[in-house]
PDB file of all heavy atoms in Angstrom:
ATOM      1  N   ARG A  38     116.208 -66.794-157.748  1.00  0.00           N
ATOM      2  CA  ARG A  38     116.424 -68.241-157.812  1.00  0.00           C
ATOM      3  C   ARG A  38     117.799 -68.687-157.318  1.00  0.00           C
ATOM      4  O   ARG A  38     117.823 -69.739-156.690  1.00  0.00           O
ATOM      5  CB  ARG A  38     116.168 -68.664-159.287  1.00  0.00           C
ATOM      6  CG  ARG A  38     114.713 -68.578-159.720  1.00  0.00           C
ATOM      7  CD  ARG A  38     114.480 -69.073-161.072  1.00  0.00           C
ATOM      8  NE  ARG A  38     113.087 -68.897-161.505  1.00  0.00           N
ATOM      9  CZ  ARG A  38     112.714 -68.833-162.723  1.00  0.00           C
ATOM     10  NH1 ARG A  38     113.619 -68.984-163.679  1.00  0.00           N
ATOM     11  NH2 ARG A  38     111.435 -68.608-163.016  1.00  0.00           N
ATOM     12  N   LYS A  39     118.850 -67.951-157.651  1.00  0.00           N
ATOM     13  CA  LYS A  39     120.170 -68.290-157.184  1.00  0.00           C
ATOM     14  C   LYS A  39     120.191 -68.285-155.684  1.00  0.00           C
ATOM     15  O   LYS A  39     120.720 -69.102-155.031  1.00  0.00           O
ATOM     16  CB  LYS A  39     121.190 -67.288-157.766  1.00  0.00           C
ATOM     17  CG  LYS A  39     121.499 -67.530-159.151  1.00  0.00           C
ATOM     18  CD  LYS A  39     122.495 -66.529-159.652  1.00  0.00           C
ATOM     19  CE  LYS A  39     122.767 -66.613-161.177  1.00  0.00           C
ATOM     20  NZ  LYS A  39     123.677 -65.604-161.615  1.00  0.00           N
ATOM     21  N   GLN A  40     119.585 -67.284-155.062  1.00  0.00           N
ATOM     22  CA  GLN A  40     119.529 -67.182-153.642  1.00  0.00           C
ATOM     23  C   GLN A  40     118.708 -68.378-153.011  1.00  0.00           C
ATOM     24  O   GLN A  40     119.211 -68.880-151.984  1.00  0.00           O
ATOM     25  CB  GLN A  40     118.926 -65.878-153.169  1.00  0.00           C
ATOM     26  CG  GLN A  40     118.914 -65.657-151.700  1.00  0.00           C
ATOM     27  CD  GLN A  40     120.304 -65.599-151.125  1.00  0.00           C
ATOM     28  OE1 GLN A  40     121.285 -65.148-151.642  1.00  0.00           O
ATOM     29  NE2 GLN A  40     120.428 -66.102-149.808  1.00  0.00           N
ATOM     30  N   GLU A  41     117.681 -68.767-153.625  1.00  0.00           N
ATOM     31  CA  GLU A  41     116.926 -69.881-153.089  1.00  0.00           C
ATOM     32  C   GLU A  41     117.683 -71.140-153.120  1.00  0.00           C
ATOM     33  O   GLU A  41     117.637 -71.915-152.289  1.00  0.00           O
ATOM     34  CB  GLU A  41     115.544 -70.031-153.895  1.00  0.00           C
ATOM     35  CG  GLU A  41     114.558 -68.925-153.610  1.00  0.00           C
ATOM     36  CD  GLU A  41     113.357 -69.039-154.503  1.00  0.00           C
ATOM     37  OE1 GLU A  41     113.228 -69.913-155.324  1.00  0.00           O
ATOM     38  OE2 GLU A  41     112.405 -68.235-154.218  1.00  0.00           O
ATOM     39  N   SER A  42     118.427 -71.372-154.262  1.00  0.00           N
ATOM     40  CA  SER A  42     119.257 -72.522-154.346  1.00  0.00           C
ATOM     41  C   SER A  42     120.367 -72.567-153.368  1.00  0.00           C
ATOM     42  O   SER A  42     120.664 -73.662-152.802  1.00  0.00           O
ATOM     43  CB  SER A  42     119.758 -72.778-155.780  1.00  0.00           C
ATOM     44  OG  SER A  42     120.701 -71.719-156.058  1.00  0.00           O
ATOM     45  N   VAL A  43     120.955 -71.521-153.084  1.00  0.00           N
ATOM     46  CA  VAL A  43     121.986 -71.431-152.059  1.00  0.00           C
ATOM     47  C   VAL A  43     121.421 -71.676-150.696  1.00  0.00           C
ATOM     48  O   VAL A  43     121.991 -72.394-149.937  1.00  0.00           O
ATOM     49  CB  VAL A  43     122.659 -69.976-152.066  1.00  0.00           C
ATOM     50  CG1 VAL A  43     123.552 -69.763-150.882  1.00  0.00           C
ATOM     51  CG2 VAL A  43     123.451 -69.719-153.365  1.00  0.00           C
ATOM     52  N   ASP A  44     120.189 -71.170-150.405  1.00  0.00           N
ATOM     53  CA  ASP A  44     119.544 -71.382-149.130  1.00  0.00           C
ATOM     54  C   ASP A  44     119.186 -72.974-148.952  1.00  0.00           C
ATOM     55  O   ASP A  44     119.348 -73.533-147.909  1.00  0.00           O
ATOM     56  CB  ASP A  44     118.263 -70.637-148.996  1.00  0.00           C
ATOM     57  CG  ASP A  44     118.594 -69.156-148.773  1.00  0.00           C
ATOM     58  OD1 ASP A  44     119.740 -68.808-148.406  1.00  0.00           O
ATOM     59  OD2 ASP A  44     117.695 -68.312-148.986  1.00  0.00           O
ATOM     60  N   ASP A  45     118.792 -73.595-150.105  1.00  0.00           N
ATOM     61  CA  ASP A  45     118.521 -75.029-150.043  1.00  0.00           C
ATOM     62  C   ASP A  45     119.728 -75.792-149.798  1.00  0.00           C
ATOM     63  O   ASP A  45     119.699 -76.738-149.085  1.00  0.00           O
ATOM     64  CB  ASP A  45     117.869 -75.483-151.394  1.00  0.00           C
ATOM     65  CG  ASP A  45     116.526 -74.947-151.620  1.00  0.00           C
ATOM     66  OD1 ASP A  45     115.853 -74.582-150.580  1.00  0.00           O
ATOM     67  OD2 ASP A  45     116.025 -74.945-152.755  1.00  0.00           O
ATOM     68  N   ILE A  46     120.879 -75.416-150.274  1.00  0.00           N
ATOM     69  CA  ILE A  46     122.103 -76.144-150.052  1.00  0.00           C
ATOM     70  C   ILE A  46     122.479 -75.976-148.576  1.00  0.00           C
ATOM     71  O   ILE A  46     122.930 -76.984-147.997  1.00  0.00           O
ATOM     72  CB  ILE A  46     123.240 -75.590-150.993  1.00  0.00           C
ATOM     73  CG1 ILE A  46     122.894 -76.012-152.409  1.00  0.00           C
ATOM     74  CG2 ILE A  46     124.585 -76.101-150.507  1.00  0.00           C
ATOM     75  CD1 ILE A  46     123.820 -75.335-153.405  1.00  0.00           C
ATOM     76  N   LYS A  47     122.354 -74.840-148.001  1.00  0.00           N
ATOM     77  CA  LYS A  47     122.665 -74.611-146.623  1.00  0.00           C
ATOM     78  C   LYS A  47     121.771 -75.403-145.662  1.00  0.00           C
ATOM     79  O   LYS A  47     122.182 -75.737-144.551  1.00  0.00           O
ATOM     80  CB  LYS A  47     122.598 -73.136-146.309  1.00  0.00           C
ATOM     81  CG  LYS A  47     123.708 -72.348-146.894  1.00  0.00           C
ATOM     82  CD  LYS A  47     123.573 -70.870-146.526  1.00  0.00           C
ATOM     83  CE  LYS A  47     124.574 -70.051-147.168  1.00  0.00           C
ATOM     84  NZ  LYS A  47     124.455 -68.602-146.819  1.00  0.00           N
ATOM     85  N   LYS A  48     120.555 -75.783-146.034  1.00  0.00           N
ATOM     86  CA  LYS A  48     119.648 -76.439-145.150  1.00  0.00           C
ATOM     87  C   LYS A  48     120.000 -77.956-145.075  1.00  0.00           C
ATOM     88  O   LYS A  48     119.364 -78.644-144.174  1.00  0.00           O
ATOM     89  CB  LYS A  48     118.185 -76.280-145.732  1.00  0.00           C
ATOM     90  CG  LYS A  48     117.708 -74.870-145.493  1.00  0.00           C
ATOM     91  CD  LYS A  48     116.270 -74.772-146.051  1.00  0.00           C
ATOM     92  CE  LYS A  48     115.758 -73.281-145.991  1.00  0.00           C
ATOM     93  NZ  LYS A  48     114.472 -73.226-146.606  1.00  0.00           N
ATOM     94  N   ILE A  49     120.792 -78.518-145.834  1.00  0.00           N
ATOM     95  CA  ILE A  49     121.130 -79.895-145.827  1.00  0.00           C
ATOM     96  C   ILE A  49     121.847 -80.144-144.423  1.00  0.00           C
ATOM     97  O   ILE A  49     122.894 -79.528-144.105  1.00  0.00           O
ATOM     98  CB  ILE A  49     122.041 -80.325-146.918  1.00  0.00           C
ATOM     99  CG1 ILE A  49     121.377 -80.090-148.290  1.00  0.00           C
ATOM    100  CG2 ILE A  49     122.554 -81.784-146.691  1.00  0.00           C
ATOM    101  CD1 ILE A  49     122.184 -80.406-149.428  1.00  0.00           C
ATOM    102  N   VAL A  50     121.264 -80.993-143.607  1.00  0.00           N
ATOM    103  CA  VAL A  50     121.861 -81.311-142.323  1.00  0.00           C
ATOM    104  C   VAL A  50     122.149 -82.792-142.258  1.00  0.00           C
ATOM    105  O   VAL A  50     121.287 -83.677-142.584  1.00  0.00           O
ATOM    106  CB  VAL A  50     120.879 -80.958-141.169  1.00  0.00           C
ATOM    107  CG1 VAL A  50     121.386 -81.425-139.881  1.00  0.00           C
ATOM    108  CG2 VAL A  50     120.577 -79.512-141.180  1.00  0.00           C
ATOM    109  N   HIS A  51     123.338 -83.182-141.794  1.00  0.00           N
ATOM    110  CA  HIS A  51     123.818 -84.528-141.793  1.00  0.00           C
ATOM    111  C   HIS A  51     123.371 -85.059-140.396  1.00  0.00           C
ATOM    112  O   HIS A  51     123.713 -84.452-139.392  1.00  0.00           O
ATOM    113  CB  HIS A  51     125.252 -84.664-141.980  1.00  0.00           C
ATOM    114  CG  HIS A  51     125.783 -84.084-143.296  1.00  0.00           C
ATOM    115  ND1 HIS A  51     125.480 -84.742-144.468  1.00  0.00           N
ATOM    116  CD2 HIS A  51     126.333 -83.002-143.539  1.00  0.00           C
ATOM    117  CE1 HIS A  51     126.034 -84.012-145.474  1.00  0.00           C
ATOM    118  NE2 HIS A  51     126.588 -82.980-144.890  1.00  0.00           N
ATOM    119  N   THR A  52     122.592 -86.193-140.418  1.00  0.00           N
ATOM    120  CA  THR A  52     122.116 -86.666-139.150  1.00  0.00           C
ATOM    121  C   THR A  52     122.962 -87.899-138.595  1.00  0.00           C
ATOM    122  O   THR A  52     122.673 -88.377-137.542  1.00  0.00           O
ATOM    123  CB  THR A  52     120.638 -87.129-139.271  1.00  0.00           C
ATOM    124  OG1 THR A  52     120.538 -88.035-140.252  1.00  0.00           O
ATOM    125  CG2 THR A  52     119.781 -85.913-139.501  1.00  0.00           C
ATOM    126  N   TYR A  53     123.907 -88.298-139.430  1.00  0.00           N
ATOM    127  CA  TYR A  53     124.729 -89.388-138.964  1.00  0.00           C
ATOM    128  C   TYR A  53     125.909 -88.858-138.124  1.00  0.00           C
ATOM    129  O   TYR A  53     126.339 -87.842-138.181  1.00  0.00           O
ATOM    130  CB  TYR A  53     125.241 -90.150-140.182  1.00  0.00           C
ATOM    131  CG  TYR A  53     126.011 -89.338-141.161  1.00  0.00           C
ATOM    132  CD1 TYR A  53     127.392 -89.164-140.985  1.00  0.00           C
ATOM    133  CD2 TYR A  53     125.414 -88.694-142.175  1.00  0.00           C
ATOM    134  CE1 TYR A  53     128.120 -88.377-141.853  1.00  0.00           C
ATOM    135  CE2 TYR A  53     126.145 -87.924-143.077  1.00  0.00           C
ATOM    136  CZ  TYR A  53     127.471 -87.832-142.933  1.00  0.00           C
ATOM    137  OH  TYR A  53     128.224 -86.974-143.780  1.00  0.00           O
ATOM    138  N   PRO A  54     126.377 -89.710-137.214  1.00  0.00           N
ATOM    139  CA  PRO A  54     127.538 -89.409-136.452  1.00  0.00           C
ATOM    140  C   PRO A  54     128.827 -89.424-137.226  1.00  0.00           C
ATOM    141  O   PRO A  54     128.991 -90.319-137.998  1.00  0.00           O
ATOM    142  CB  PRO A  54     127.564 -90.479-135.382  1.00  0.00           C
ATOM    143  CG  PRO A  54     126.833 -91.600-135.827  1.00  0.00           C
ATOM    144  CD  PRO A  54     125.875 -91.079-136.875  1.00  0.00           C
ATOM    145  N   LEU A  55     129.601 -88.306-137.075  1.00  0.00           N
ATOM    146  CA  LEU A  55     130.934 -88.236-137.838  1.00  0.00           C
ATOM    147  C   LEU A  55     131.924 -88.170-136.797  1.00  0.00           C
ATOM    148  O   LEU A  55     132.194 -87.226-136.027  1.00  0.00           O
ATOM    149  CB  LEU A  55     130.890 -86.930-138.583  1.00  0.00           C
ATOM    150  CG  LEU A  55     132.124 -86.601-139.407  1.00  0.00           C
ATOM    151  CD1 LEU A  55     132.439 -87.686-140.418  1.00  0.00           C
ATOM    152  CD2 LEU A  55     132.009 -85.222-140.036  1.00  0.00           C
ATOM    153  N   LEU A  56     132.763 -89.210-136.728  1.00  0.00           N
ATOM    154  CA  LEU A  56     133.798 -89.329-135.701  1.00  0.00           C
ATOM    155  C   LEU A  56     135.066 -88.538-136.206  1.00  0.00           C
ATOM    156  O   LEU A  56     135.510 -88.714-137.283  1.00  0.00           O
ATOM    157  CB  LEU A  56     134.242 -90.843-135.582  1.00  0.00           C
ATOM    158  CG  LEU A  56     135.316 -91.089-134.553  1.00  0.00           C
ATOM    159  CD1 LEU A  56     134.827 -90.754-133.162  1.00  0.00           C
ATOM    160  CD2 LEU A  56     135.715 -92.533-134.647  1.00  0.00           C
ATOM    161  N   ARG A  57     135.465 -87.612-135.366  1.00  0.00           N
ATOM    162  CA  ARG A  57     136.591 -86.798-135.673  1.00  0.00           C
ATOM    163  C   ARG A  57     137.923 -87.317-135.164  1.00  0.00           C
ATOM    164  O   ARG A  57     138.887 -87.333-135.924  1.00  0.00           O
ATOM    165  CB  ARG A  57     136.392 -85.333-135.145  1.00  0.00           C
ATOM    166  CG  ARG A  57     137.301 -84.347-135.499  1.00  0.00           C
ATOM    167  CD  ARG A  57     137.187 -83.939-136.972  1.00  0.00           C
ATOM    168  NE  ARG A  57     138.133 -82.894-137.240  1.00  0.00           N
ATOM    169  CZ  ARG A  57     138.838 -82.771-138.340  1.00  0.00           C
ATOM    170  NH1 ARG A  57     138.723 -83.701-139.244  1.00  0.00           N
ATOM    171  NH2 ARG A  57     139.683 -81.770-138.472  1.00  0.00           N
ATOM    172  N   HIS A  58     137.911 -87.828-133.902  1.00  0.00           N
ATOM    173  CA  HIS A  58     139.115 -88.336-133.361  1.00  0.00           C
ATOM    174  C   HIS A  58     138.791 -89.202-132.120  1.00  0.00           C
ATOM    175  O   HIS A  58     137.843 -88.891-131.341  1.00  0.00           O
ATOM    176  CB  HIS A  58     140.045 -87.263-132.863  1.00  0.00           C
ATOM    177  CG  HIS A  58     141.295 -87.755-132.063  1.00  0.00           C
ATOM    178  ND1 HIS A  58     142.361 -88.251-132.802  1.00  0.00           N
ATOM    179  CD2 HIS A  58     141.534 -87.835-130.812  1.00  0.00           C
ATOM    180  CE1 HIS A  58     143.224 -88.715-131.853  1.00  0.00           C
ATOM    181  NE2 HIS A  58     142.810 -88.414-130.672  1.00  0.00           N
ATOM    182  N   THR A  59     139.430 -90.323-131.961  1.00  0.00           N
ATOM    183  CA  THR A  59     139.311 -91.080-130.762  1.00  0.00           C
ATOM    184  C   THR A  59     140.521 -91.966-130.559  1.00  0.00           C
ATOM    185  O   THR A  59     141.220 -92.266-131.606  1.00  0.00           O
ATOM    186  CB  THR A  59     138.023 -92.002-130.841  1.00  0.00           C
ATOM    187  OG1 THR A  59     137.918 -92.681-129.530  1.00  0.00           O
ATOM    188  CG2 THR A  59     138.084 -93.074-131.872  1.00  0.00           C
ATOM    189  N   ASP A  60     140.839 -92.420-129.385  1.00  0.00           N
ATOM    190  CA  ASP A  60     141.819 -93.388-129.144  1.00  0.00           C
ATOM    191  C   ASP A  60     141.314 -94.551-128.311  1.00  0.00           C
ATOM    192  O   ASP A  60     142.025 -95.307-127.761  1.00  0.00           O
ATOM    193  CB  ASP A  60     143.096 -92.714-128.439  1.00  0.00           C
ATOM    194  CG  ASP A  60     142.841 -92.148-127.104  1.00  0.00           C
ATOM    195  OD1 ASP A  60     141.631 -92.134-126.656  1.00  0.00           O
ATOM    196  OD2 ASP A  60     143.696 -91.783-126.408  1.00  0.00           O
ATOM    197  N   MET A  61     139.940 -94.624-128.234  1.00  0.00           N
ATOM    198  CA  MET A  61     139.248 -95.672-127.518  1.00  0.00           C
ATOM    199  C   MET A  61     139.338 -96.986-128.252  1.00  0.00           C
ATOM    200  O   MET A  61     139.558 -97.103-129.409  1.00  0.00           O
ATOM    201  CB  MET A  61     137.789 -95.354-127.255  1.00  0.00           C
ATOM    202  CG  MET A  61     137.477 -94.188-126.422  1.00  0.00           C
ATOM    203  SD  MET A  61     135.698 -93.871-126.330  1.00  0.00           S
ATOM    204  CE  MET A  61     135.653 -92.690-125.130  1.00  0.00           C
ATOM    205  N   SER A  62     139.127 -98.064-127.470  1.00  0.00           N
ATOM    206  CA  SER A  62     139.045 -99.347-128.173  1.00  0.00           C
ATOM    207  C   SER A  62     137.806 -99.452-128.996  1.00  0.00           C
ATOM    208  O   SER A  62     136.899 -98.656-128.793  1.00  0.00           O
ATOM    209  CB  SER A  62     138.935-100.507-127.060  1.00  0.00           C
ATOM    210  OG  SER A  62     137.734-100.424-126.410  1.00  0.00           O
TER     211      SER A  62
END
């Protein structure tokens, strides 16, 4: 059960864009 819960946590994928760095307008 612990292994299954760890696998479930790893499967979470963020689909939104995450800006790391920019110097654009």
Side-chain angles (χ1 to χ4, degrees):
R38 287 185 186 156
K39 287 180 186 177
Q40 183 62 32
E41 287 175 1
S42 67
V43 169
D44 289 341
D45 290 340
I46 291 171
K47 289 181 182 178
K48 289 179 185 176
I49 296 172
V50 176
H51 302 287
T52 57
Y53 56 88
L55 176 64
L56 184 63
R57 185 74 175 136
H58 175 77
T59 189
D60 63 353
M61 292 179 172
S62 67

